[in-house]
Structures are given as C-alpha cells and as structure tokens.
Amino acid sequence: MFFTYLKLFLNVKIISAALATISFLILCIYFTINQNWLGLSFQTNPGGYGIKIANIYNNNLKPHLSKGDIVVAIRNIHFGTASVDSETIQPHPSIYSRDSVAHYITFLENENRLHNILEHNEVQLVLINGSSVTVKVQQRGLKDVPFNFWLQITFALLSVITGYFVYFKQRKQTAVRHFLVSIAGFFIMGSSWAVLMNRSVALTSDIYRAFDIFSHLGITLLIGGLLSMVWCYPRRLEPHNMPRLIYSILLIFWIIDSLHLIDSLTFAFYSPMFFSFAFITVFAVMQWKVTSKLPADRTILKWMFFFIFSVTGFLLLFVFIPRSLISFSLVSQNFEYAILLFFYFGIALVLTRYRMINLEFWWSFMWGGYFSLSISALIYFILVTTFEINSLLVLSIAIFLGAISFFPFRQWIKSQFKTAPQHELEHYLPTLVELLFTARSNHSLSMQWESILIRIFNPITLTSRKNPVDMVEIDNDGTILRVPDFQPEYAIELAYSNQGKRLFVDADVQLAQTMYQLTRKAIDLNLARNKGAEEERTRIVRDLHDDVGAKLITIIHRAGSSQVADLCRSALQDIRDIMSYLG
C-alpha cells in the first residue's frame, strides 16, 4: 500500500500540478509583497468620497494623521495628482459598477498613475479639509501584508488539498477530472483576488489587468468544471462530448470579456454565471431520471443536489444578484470563500462515496430553502426593475416573503418523496406479538422472522448466507441490510429496501436490531419453557416408575384374588403407556 501511494505521489501529472500551484502562489506573494507602502491601512468612506485611514503603523505619522481622516488624493511633484476613492483600495476585480470599457480603462489609468506616484520616496496625502501631509514611501514587508491575504490564500490552498484527496481516492472517474478543473478555477480565482483585494494602494495597470484576467479565467474553469461534473456524475449522460462544448462556450465568453469585444464588462461575466445555474438544474433533472432505479446513485445525487443548490442558492441571493443590482455583496469576501470551500468539501465527500445516507430531513430542508431563496430573488428583481426601488428594506421584504413559502413547500417535498418506512416499534409490535404467540417451535419462529423482515422492509431479495453476524449492519453503501439469523452459522441479507426505491438507513438498523432482540428473547423463553416441561415430564415418569409402578407390582404379588391382580396389571399397563407417551 505504501509503495502504491508513493508511486501515485510521484506521478508526473501530480508533480506538474504541484509545481504549477506553488509557482502561482509564489507569484501572488511576490506581487503582494513587492509593493510600495505608506505605513497606513485604508477603508472605504461611507460618504463615498475619498478613503478613510483605518490604522497608522508608522509612528512618525501619528502627530500629523489620525484614524478616520479622509484622504481624497495622492500627489507627487513628478507625476502630479491622482484621486482616490473606494475603488482604489477595494474594487471588485470581476464585477464592476463601471459597466463600460471606457470607465474601466479610466480606472486602470488612475491605478497606473497612483503606482508611478508611489515609486518616489515621498508623496503628499491630500485630506478632505484641503491640508496635505508628507509621507515617506516604504517597501512592504511580510509583516505588513494584511491578514485577509493569508486567509484567502489559505482558502485557495485548502481547495487544492481537497482536490488531491479526491484524486488519490477516485482518480479513475471522469467526474473527478472535472471536479479538479473546478478546484483549479477556485484556486486561480481566489489567489488572484487575494492579490487585487489586498494591494497596499495601487499596482501597475498591466499587473492589475493580468490578475483580473486570471481571476475571470478561474471563475470560467470553476463553472465549467462544475457543469461538466454534474453531467458526468453519478451517471455519464449522453452525448459524452457535452463537457467539451461547455468548456468551449465558457472560454468564448472569457475571451470576449478579456479582449473587451463588447462594451460591457458585466455581460460576458454574468451571462455564463446565471445560465450555469439554470443548466445545473436541467442536468440534475436529467440525472434524476437516469438514476430512478439505482438507489445508491440516487442517494449520491441527493447529496450532490444538497451541496450544489444550497451553495449556489446562497451565492445567487446574497452575492451575484446584489452585485448586479446594487454593486456590492451582502456578505464579506472571506465568507464567500468559506461557503465555496464548504461546497468543495461536500462534493469531495460525495465523489469519494462516503456513506452519507441519513438525508430525509436535509433533503426536504434544502429544497424548501432553495425554493424560498428563489422566491426572494424573484420578488427582489421585480421590485427593483419594475418599480425602481432599491434598498435594504426592499431586500428584507423579499427575504421575508420568500421565507413564508419555505415551510409549505418543504412539507410538500416531504410528502412527494417520502419513501422511508415508519421506524416506530409500536407500528410493528402487533405483528411481532402475533408472530411470537402463533409460533409452535424455534424453527417456526425462524421462518416467521424472515416473513416479518419482508413485511417491514419490502426488499427486492432476501437471502440466507453462511456469513454470520452478531449485530444488524448496513453494507455496500446502504444497498444491503445484513441481519442475524436464528441459525447460528447463517445471516439474512436484504437487498434494496422498498423494492429499490431507497437505501437502508440507521433507523432501519435500530428497528431491525430491536425486533431481533425481542424475537431472540422469545426464542430463549421458548427454550426455557421446553426445558422446564422436559424436566417435569422426566420427574413424572420417574415417579410413576419408581413409586406408583413399584406399589402396583407389590399389590399384584400380594393380591388375594385374581380379579384384584388383573386390575393392577391393567393399571400398570396404563402407567407404562403414559410413560411411553411422556417420553
């Protein structure tokens, strides 16, 4: 086993991927550290004009600047003045409020001007009150890099580790390759955004543009890999070349966006993203039909639904729709990363076929939540586009109305997909009592035991195998329930509960184990009763032979008449017949 993993670890593809990952990380860290720094950290100004000083790390500046001061421009005698605003320190690299190429080019020019200004030893910060403060430009060090950068890099690295884990476990599956593509996309996107979102003040326009394009490429691969994975897992749909078409279309959109072939920065970015949500739903429905008679695959598909729709629904409502309409997300960037990482962890467990079969509660909960989020998004979109009302109050109203629909829709889902049996012992207790009181022997109890298992679980097949077990257990990803038999060298195997409509769950194990223990006690009581009856019969036979029989023989020998002797002989024969019957 060790040499197998060593050979796999030394695989050329793995080594190449690891080197590419390390190289890109080094590149991101290099461009993050290799920046000019003012010894200050900034945050956006709620007033919308300039940027606010958040922290002062250079002690020489504390007499001249204070937390909360608003900086509106940075200037240098050689390169003039460059204005600063919220986009300067925290732009969204891939989703722009400036939905025009001209606006984006203007932003890049200002970014480049700021970078050139910071190339000199001293600059002046122009405050909102008109005063200016001279600041010495320093070289950024590792300790000066914001914690958010390392956190986002950690998220990206954890996704790569998850991809390696899945590759080691299930490298031969087609769906795993598409999952790895999506992981690579998340890594590229997250690392690129970490550089852009945590720059000290400004990068050159070329470097900013390069990482911006990389981040868009990462999103393209993330979406393409996810769509292709759903197409191929748990069953590969027809036609088999659909993933190539998916990647080709998404790459076309990425090229259009990168080369600015149309005068819109959001169209080429948002269109594939919103369409991907729709196509994931279509592909999932197709997979649902294909796996109708495959309960193990159907359960895997349910878990994949749970992770995909819960995460995409959350991102759709709290990230993408708000960004497209009000230009900012309702949750932090780090929280978005954490949600995506949770998604990849979940899909990794699905692909490695961990036995996650207790899904009845979460299945209905997920669909109810997804429907509720969809209703909220639809109401929010109608209010914003039709009535041109755009505020957090409107979003709160939309979420409230969507939440109202959660419980009735969830109950409807539970009624439509309810395939699990009633697991309460009280439901089957009358049947068990009837079994115990009507069985005439242990063999009869054993036969009735198989009958009651069939009645409870309705399996496709029930077989008796020479593979004894002491406890009820689930095997083969929930398709087999193995139950102890009352013949010590055998076990009973039930395959596919409810005629293949569902897998066995832990509640089935508890119910079958309880029923088995009660039946086992009944058999033990029956054995004890039979043993007691046998001992009583033996005592009666012994008493009849030793006591009554001996007395009758004595009477025969001492009888004064032949009639009394004959009567005693008749009684002695009757006793012998009774002894023979009891024996």
Side-chain angles (χ1 to χ4, degrees), residues 210-399:
F211 279 104
D212 199 7
I213 291 174
F214 270 125
S215 69
H216 287 203
L217 175 63
I219 294 173
T220 300
L221 295 177
L222 187 155
I223 296 172
L226 179 60
L227 282 171
S228 301
M229 184 191 69
V230 177
W231 182 265
C232 297
Y233 194 79
R235 293 286 165 174
R236 193 169 184 177
L237 302 175
E238 296 288 347
H240 287 179
N241 61 352
M242 176 60 76
R244 293 183 181 179
L245 180 62
I246 292 171
Y247 288 124
S248 299
I249 293 174
L250 290 174
L251 285 173
I252 289 172
F253 274 95
W254 175 68
I255 292 171
I256 291 173
D257 177 63
S258 300
L259 299 180
H260 295 161
L261 298 181
I262 59 175
D263 190 23
S264 174
L265 297 174
T266 57
F267 172 78
F269 179 82
Y270 279 117
S271 297
M273 194 169 297
F274 283 115
F275 278 116
S276 68
F277 292 141
F279 279 109
I280 282 178
T281 304
V282 173
F283 294 169
V285 170
M286 294 171 67
Q287 287 282 6
W288 187 263
K289 292 181 178 179
V290 169
T291 59
S292 60
K293 296 182 179 180
L294 301 168
D297 289 342
R298 175 65 66 85
T299 301
I300 291 171
L301 189 61
K302 283 183 177 181
W303 271 106
M304 193 160 67
F305 278 174
F306 171 75
F307 287 111
I308 290 176
F309 287 121
S310 58
V311 172
T312 55
F314 177 87
L315 294 177
L316 185 67
L317 182 62
F318 291 99
V319 179
F320 297 121
I321 289 179
R323 278 182 179 173
S324 63
L325 296 175
I326 56 179
S327 303
F328 64 86
S329 170
L330 299 181
V331 295
S332 68
Q333 190 82 32
N334 292 336
F335 193 77
E336 294 174 26
Y337 284 9
I339 289 293
L340 284 172
L341 193 60
F342 161 78
F343 165 75
Y344 281 117
F345 283 162
I347 296 299
L349 291 175
V350 172
L351 290 172
T352 51
R353 289 180 178 269
Y354 272 57
R355 190 162 58 83
M356 302 174 296
I357 56 180
N358 297 323
L359 194 62
E360 284 78 8
F361 170 79
W362 292 108
W363 177 242
S364 59
F365 187 87
M366 180 271 293
W367 276 111
Y370 189 71
F371 178 79
S372 177
L373 288 175
S374 300
I375 293 295
S376 299
L378 180 62
I379 294 173
Y380 181 74
F381 179 78
I382 292 173
L383 291 176
V384 171
T385 56
T386 304
F387 300 101
E388 297 183 353
I389 304 174
N390 192 1
S391 66
L392 290 178
L393 177 62
V394 172
L395 182 60
S396 301
I397 293 172
I399 293 174

Side-chain angles (χ1 to χ4, degrees), residues 24 33 53 100 105 124 156 198 222 255 291 311 334 346 371 406 421-422 440 447 501 554 556 567:
F24 194 74
I33 295 176
I53 296 177
S100 70
I105 291 174
Q124 289 182 330
N198 296 284
L222 187 155
I255 292 171
T291 59
V311 172
N334 292 336
F371 178 79
F406 170 78
Q422 292 177 313
R440 298 298 181 185
M447 297 295 292
K501 293 181 180 178
T554 301
I556 292 173
L567 183 61

Side-chain angles (χ1 to χ4, degrees), residues 113-126:
R113 188 181 302 112
L114 275 171
H115 178 270
N116 290 333
I117 289 173
L118 292 171
E119 284 292 294
H120 294 268
N121 293 331
E122 289 185 347
V123 296
Q124 289 182 330
L125 303 183
V126 181

Side-chain angles (χ1 to χ4, degrees), residues 419-492:
T419 58
Q422 292 177 313
H423 290 101
E424 295 81 5
L425 178 62
E426 293 81 359
H427 182 73
Y428 298 104
L429 197 56
T431 304
L432 183 62
V433 171
E434 180 186 356
L435 161 68
L436 300 181
F437 277 96
T438 58
R440 298 298 181 185
S441 65
N442 289 345
H443 178 71
S444 176
L445 274 172
S446 181
M447 297 295 292
Q448 291 283 7
W449 173 237
E450 294 184 2
S451 175
I452 196 171
L453 289 176
I454 292 174
R455 192 181 306 181
I456 294 173
F457 299 109
N458 192 21
I460 292 179
T461 60
L462 183 147
T463 55
S464 183
R465 300 186 182 277
K466 278 194 172 183
N467 185 18
V469 293
D470 297 326
M471 302 286 291
V472 180
E473 60 185 28
I474 292 175
D475 196 12
N476 197 24
D477 291 328
T479 61
I480 299 294
L481 183 70
R482 192 172 291 111
V483 182
D485 198 355
F486 296 109
Q487 304 177 58
E489 68 274 14
Y490 287 90
I492 299 173

